[in-house]
Amino acid sequence: MENEEDKARSSCRSENIDRLSDLPDSIIHKILSLVDLRCAVQTSVLSKRWRFLWTSLSDLNFNGTCMDFKNFLTFNRFVSRVLSTREDSNLYKIQLYSTWSPHHSLLDMVIKYAVSHHIQNMVINYGHSTIRSFSLPPAFLTCQSLKTLQLSGFNFKALGFALPNLISLSLSHCSFTNPSDFDDPFASCLKLENLSMRSCSFLSSKVLKISGLQLLNLEIVGLGYMNLAGLLYRIDIFAPKLISFVYKLSHVVDFSGLYLPSLNFTRVHVCTKQDKKKEAYLGLVNMFKGLGNAQSVMLHSQTIEVLGSFPGLLEQEPSPFKRLKSLQVAPNNKPLVPPHVMTYLLGGTPHAETIYADYL
């Protein structure tokens, strides 16, 4: 015998009921926002009900990496057609992904459209491609509505971020080549709470300043340690509310100017060449002085190796951590932390817990 659920399915099939089309526009928009925009546009052929539904989407996901586009020109035409056809309503999020060589005209069109429609969240990702010497439109740099921004593959020669309501900023594979513009590039983002820089380079800068009165989380991954002049970087960080600082897969730089009184968690994984180990050691000791308020510290075994390379010097250094509750070292297949390194790390907090983990 059929149960009630089976009977309902049979009734729908016999009456040819389209339950999906009966959903409210808001729910259909949510569904369409989860698929590639090309697929969303194609739903316009389903019925009159669906013909213009996609034109009021507040989330636009332009995916130039999919196989539906033969080349950049077809992708460019698709983006242009969508923006010219879409109804004139505010945007919540726009995403632009492409593996083709970036074209300034497309970027300029998308960015200006987004700003004029009060964009709140934007992602522009060209992977590891480099957008050469692209200047973001002035209206974008002072956009009042933007709250989150992710940029990948940009090469900036003149830029100062002045986004007054920006909360989260993520930069990946971006390069900055004008030192006069990048002394303190994020200082005007007065509400910035989260900043991530992955594989970014400041090729002409001697000093990179990161100021953030509201900054809570800072991540720096894959930063090189020399600029074009062969000079050592110095990074000064002024972030009185910062609670988390991650520095991974990067060379040691001069961190002598750190002001992080609220720091709770830090993760450090440094890379160094054999002939630079002394410089790396001195840089780490300087860095840890600025991280001294951390209660939870995670260190990669390569970081421990650098610290342990000069026992005579390290034994003269006072322990930098005064509030430490947990020390985690990874990977655990390396030798245990040498006694003189352990004394240095835990000397100020002998009761802190030590954990050896499989990964960091």
Side-chain angles (χ1 to χ4, degrees):
M1 293 181 63
E2 288 187 323
N3 57 33
E4 292 300 322
E5 188 175 345
D6 293 333
K7 288 180 180 179
R9 290 199 189 99
S10 299
S11 175
C12 288
R13 285 194 293 268
S14 62
E15 298 176 18
N16 198 26
I17 296 177
D18 182 0
R19 291 185 178 274
L20 186 59
S21 295
D22 289 338
L23 293 173
D25 286 4
S26 59
I27 295 180
I28 295 179
H29 284 158
K30 181 62 177 178
I31 295 172
L32 293 180
S33 70
L34 299 176
V35 302
D36 178 73
L37 190 55
R38 188 178 180 93
C39 296
V41 172
Q42 289 172 342
T43 62
S44 62
V45 303
L46 295 177
S47 67
K48 290 183 179 180
R49 166 83 171 99
W50 289 83
R51 186 176 180 183
F52 298 110
L53 270 174
W54 72 268
T55 65
S56 53
L57 283 172
S58 61
D59 288 28
L60 301 181
N61 180 11
F62 295 106
N63 186 1
T65 63
C66 69
M67 301 301 293
D68 292 331
F69 300 102
K70 295 180 180 179
N71 51 48
F72 170 77
L73 291 177
T74 59
F75 179 59
N76 195 7
R77 283 195 293 267
F78 172 73
V79 175
S80 179
R81 183 181 177 187
V82 167
L83 297 184
S84 62
T85 308
R86 181 182 177 272
E87 71 174 36
D88 191 20
S89 58
N90 288 346
L91 278 171
Y92 176 72
K93 186 174 186 178
I94 191 166
Q95 301 176 79
L96 178 65
Y97 297 94
S98 179
T99 54
W100 288 303
S101 180
H103 200 282
H104 288 192
S105 62
L106 174 63
L107 286 171
D108 200 55
M109 173 177 59
V110 170
I111 291 173
K112 287 182 177 179
Y113 181 90
V115 172
S116 66
H117 289 79
H118 307 289
I119 187 67
Q120 294 188 46
N121 308 281
M122 175 175 281
V123 178
I124 303 179
N125 190 333
Y126 276 92
H128 294 182
S129 301
T130 300
I131 304 171
R132 297 186 180 278
S133 306
F134 180 73
S135 296
L136 292 169
F140 176 77
L141 295 177
T142 56
C143 180
Q144 297 284 329
S145 58
L146 196 62
K147 294 182 178 179
T148 70
L149 175 63
Q150 298 180 43
L151 299 177
S152 178
F154 280 75
N155 178 10
F156 297 115
K157 284 192 174 180
L159 173 67
F161 289 95
L163 299 162
N165 293 304
L166 192 69
I167 295 174
S168 295
L169 174 62
S170 176
L171 302 174
S172 175
H173 296 91
C174 293
S175 61
F176 304 82
T177 54
N178 189 336
S180 63
D181 291 331
F182 305 108
D183 285 344
D184 202 347
F186 316 111
S188 297
C189 299
L190 300 180
K191 295 184 179 180
L192 190 65
E193 296 180 0
N194 308 294
L195 174 61
S196 173
M197 295 187 291
R198 289 178 166 265
S199 300
C200 292
S201 56
F202 295 79
L203 299 178
S204 300
S205 299
K206 297 178 182 179
V207 179
L208 169 64
K209 298 178 183 178
I210 300 176
S211 299
L213 295 178
Q214 304 301 323
L215 194 62
L216 300 177
N217 302 291
L218 174 61
E219 178 187 60
I220 301 176
V221 178
L223 179 72
Y225 74 104
M226 282 189 177
N227 55 31
L228 293 179
L231 300 173
L232 194 68
Y233 279 126
R234 192 177 100 213
I235 300 180
D236 293 345
I237 305 174
F238 180 84
K241 294 184 178 181
L242 194 78
I243 58 175
S244 175
F245 176 53
V246 175
Y247 191 76
K248 291 177 59 179
L249 300 174
S250 300
H251 294 281
V252 180
V253 299
D254 181 357
F255 275 109
S256 57
L258 297 181
Y259 181 72
L260 311 173
S262 303
L263 189 66
N264 181 62
F265 169 80
T266 187
R267 177 186 303 180
V268 181
H269 177 186
V270 298
C271 307
T272 186
K273 297 179 181 179
Q274 192 64 32
D275 61 343
K276 298 288 184 180
K277 192 164 284 189
K278 181 67 172 292
E279 292 180 14
Y281 162 80
L282 295 174
L284 271 179
V285 170
N286 237 343
M287 180 185 191
F288 284 167
K289 290 177 182 178
L291 304 179
N293 287 314
Q295 297 185 46
S296 177
V297 176
M298 299 177 69
L299 302 179
H300 192 276
S301 57
Q302 287 181 313
T303 306
I304 297 295
E305 181 182 345
V306 172
L307 283 175
S309 299
F310 302 93
L313 294 177
L314 192 65
E315 289 170 356
Q316 300 177 33
E317 293 289 338
S319 178
F321 302 111
K322 306 304 179 186
R323 302 193 306 158
L324 191 63
K325 295 181 179 179
S326 172
L327 171 66
Q328 184 168 326
V329 180
N332 64 4
N333 59 343
K334 297 290 184 179
L336 297 181
V337 180
H340 66 285
V341 176
M342 188 66 79
T343 299
Y344 166 73
L345 294 173
L346 300 181
T349 53
H351 301 296
E353 180 183 18
T354 303
I355 302 170
Y356 292 89
D358 292 327
Y359 61 90
L360 184 58

